[in-house]
Amino acid sequence: MKGFEYLQKQLEEMKSEGTFRQLIPLESAQGSRVTIRGKEVIQLSSNNYLGLTSHTRMKKSAEEAVREYGAGTGSVRTIAGTLKMHENFENKLAEFKHTEAALVFQSGFTTNQGVLSSILTNEDVVISDELNHASIIDGIRLTKAARKVYKHVNMESLEQALKESMDYRTRLVVTDGVFSMDGNIAPLPEIVELAEKYDALIMVDDAHASGVLGENGRGTVNHFGLDGRVHIQVGTLSKAIGVLGGYVASTQTLKDYLIHKGRPFLFSTSHPPAVTAACDTAIDVLLEEPELIDKLWENTKYFKKGLETLGFDIGISETPITPVMIGDDGLAHKFSDQLFEEGVFAQGITFPTVQRGKARVRTIVTAEHSREELSEALSAFEKAGKKLGILS
Ligand SMILES: *Cc1c(COP(=O)(O)O)cnc(C)c1O
């Protein structure tokens, strides 16, 4: 069919650059080992930090919810699709996050879109870290607010932007809690200090910190002892929590407002019972099985040390996200392919997800990995690295 030649042309360019990628279907459940193209490999590319996607208690509560409440909800939350379990879960989440209220969206992506697009007008300004997640960038695109971008985690740059913003009604500083490509943690104590000095609000997106940082995985705000000083905490239920969804934890006022104005919340159907029931159980697991988070961090330390000892450049990460910096886009994908040959699944990440020249293979260990699996993975990195001349 005619009509998409200009798209086809761009795809051809990607193919000649070596950046065209096929989707890679898993032929098994998500886990520390997965089957891909008939081969069992060690999974190092998932966000399943705590192994909750297939935790026995999670599966059990999802199954029970399907049996009792069915496969779907049949409506958006604001018409006929709010189940009692949705409300119970939000209350539990708010208590867990030490906030007044919480509201669940269909995904972390739509949470950022819905929150940013609805709370800001042309009287306001949003001040955003340059490496914030795509969903924050898109949320900002949907507002009529003025925009300022500050240099990545650079507090002089943030302060400058705040100084230039004093004429607006509201200044909203937005940052990822943990940056998803480099694994570094936002300097929240400094951000809070500046925001308080310039009378600004703060929104933190804890997608990669929920279930990972803070007491029982409460996130970066709790990690830094800043409970009550960050106005809006966004997070995902799709990474460490192991299911699907996003949430905003904040005041009752913001929750009530978003129920009326948060467009993805208003115009997209609510989560199926199995999703909400499993998310609810995930909070219990975080509270009752803290050893999972301990194991995640032990594995993280072991794996980072191993990669470093082999001679890889692992960037500036402070979290389980560990990039192996490669540089060239094509080489990053080749390295990933070679790792697969050696029995490890670790995806190359290239432009436009990261800057040109900063291509990498990004790894995330989980609490599910055994020491043997991680040691096997390190051998694979060594072999593949030597084969491609990344290691001498
Ligand atoms: C993954 C991610 C999201 C999106 O979350 P989903 O629940 O997968 O839609 C939002 N923000 C950040 C920082 C993320 O890493």
Side-chain angles (χ1 to χ4, degrees):
M1 204 192 297
K2 269 174 69 95
F4 292 117
E5 291 79 5
Y6 65 107
L7 301 182
Q8 189 58 38
K9 190 167 159 261
Q10 287 177 43
L11 292 172
E12 294 306 330
E13 278 168 20
M14 290 178 203
K15 282 177 188 162
S16 63
E17 271 180 347
T19 55
F20 181 86
R21 301 304 280 172
Q22 309 273 2
L23 296 178
I24 301 168
L26 306 186
E27 293 146 20
S28 62
Q30 188 62 273
S32 61
R33 286 181 193 269
V34 292
T35 306
I36 294 173
R37 292 188 216 114
K39 180 176 165 136
E40 196 185 80
V41 288
I42 296 169
Q43 170 67 287
L44 285 179
S45 279
S46 85
N47 297 315
N48 186 22
Y49 288 98
L50 301 174
L52 295 196
T53 58
S54 52
H55 191 289
T56 313
R57 290 170 71 184
M58 306 273 291
K59 292 201 285 193
K60 183 159 175 281
S61 60
E63 277 168 12
E64 285 170 4
V66 170
R67 262 189 228 111
E68 191 157 350
Y69 296 98
T73 64
S75 173
V76 297
R77 287 283 303 271
T78 47
I79 298 180
T82 294
L83 301 177
K84 195 70 199 155
M85 68 161 76
H86 290 131
E87 292 196 335
N88 291 344
F89 172 55
E90 286 172 343
N91 293 337
K92 188 175 198 166
L93 191 55
E95 195 180 323
F96 176 73
K97 295 287 289 181
H98 300 156
T99 58
E100 209 174 277
L103 186 70
V104 170
F105 282 68
Q106 289 78 2
S107 72
F109 198 103
T110 61
T111 310
N112 278 327
Q113 271 194 338
V115 171
L116 288 162
S117 65
S118 65
I119 65 173
L120 300 168
T121 73
N122 59 7
E123 291 178 77
D124 309 311
V125 58
V126 54
I127 306 174
S128 176
D129 186 290
E130 66 181 340
L131 291 191
N132 277 343
H133 190 260
S135 55
I136 294 177
I137 295 170
D138 282 15
I140 291 172
R141 283 185 183 149
L142 291 171
T143 75
K144 294 202 166 58
R147 300 140 199 210
K148 288 184 188 293
V149 174
Y150 63 94
K151 292 201 189 97
H152 180 50
V153 302
N154 181 316
M155 294 301 102
E156 283 92 64
S157 177
L158 172 59
E159 181 156 25
Q160 187 58 34
L162 283 163
K163 276 186 187 153
E164 292 165 5
S165 300
M166 296 313 287
D167 290 341
Y168 293 93
R169 177 183 60 184
T170 301
R171 287 156 289 288
L172 179 67
V173 178
V174 189
T175 183
D176 281 14
V178 169
F179 290 87
S180 51
M181 292 303 143
D182 289 302
N184 54 322
I185 305 174
L188 271 194
E190 287 88 346
I191 293 174
V192 166
E193 211 168 285
L194 281 176
E196 287 173 356
K197 180 169 167 194
Y198 292 94
D199 190 25
L201 304 183
I202 308 174
M203 170 167 159
V204 173
D205 176 354
D206 257 348
H208 281 281
S210 314
V212 175
L213 283 169
E215 189 193 14
N216 299 90
R218 285 183 172 81
T220 47
V221 174
N222 180 268
H223 168 76
F224 284 117
L226 296 168
D227 283 345
R229 292 171 75 187
V230 168
H231 307 77
I232 304 174
Q233 296 180 61
V234 163
T236 180
L237 304 166
S238 331
K239 289 179 175 136
I241 305 301
V243 196
L244 173 71
Y247 64 84
V248 52
S250 181
T251 62
Q252 187 65 41
T253 304
L254 185 71
K255 174 171 176 167
D256 289 341
Y257 185 82
L258 290 170
I259 289 173
H260 293 86
K261 302 282 186 184
R263 292 171 70 83
F265 182 86
L266 284 161
F267 296 109
S268 186
T269 296
S270 56
H271 277 164
V275 167
T276 303
C279 288
D280 194 284
T281 298
I283 304 296
D284 298 340
V285 172
L286 290 179
L287 291 170
E288 292 159 20
E289 302 178 37
E291 60 275 15
L292 287 174
I293 299 179
D294 296 341
K295 178 90 185 300
L296 170 68
W297 283 96
E298 278 167 31
N299 280 349
T300 298
K301 283 187 195 117
Y302 173 79
F303 195 64
K304 277 187 199 297
K305 183 129 197 286
L307 286 171
E308 235 166 6
T309 307
L310 287 173
F312 286 107
D313 172 3
I314 59 167
I316 54 168
S317 173
E318 305 159 78
T319 64
I321 297 171
T322 305
V324 175
M325 306 305 287
I326 302 296
D328 179 70
D329 286 0
L331 184 59
H333 287 311
K334 263 193 211 136
F335 187 42
S336 169
D337 293 344
Q338 190 59 42
L339 284 167
F340 187 80
E341 291 303 308
E342 309 291 348
V344 166
F345 185 66
Q347 282 266 45
I349 299 195
T350 57
F351 182 81
T353 309
V354 294
Q355 282 176 307
R356 280 201 198 280
K358 297 233 168 152
R360 64 201 64 185
V361 163
R362 188 184 62 161
T363 66
I364 299 181
V365 300
T366 72
E368 257 186 325
H369 287 106
S370 66
R371 239 343 119 77
E372 295 68 41
E373 283 168 338
L374 293 181
S375 137
E376 212 179 304
L378 287 169
S379 307
F381 269 84
E382 182 174 21
K383 277 191 208 151
K386 283 188 172 150
K387 194 153 201 172
L388 295 180
I390 296 161
L391 291 180
S392 48

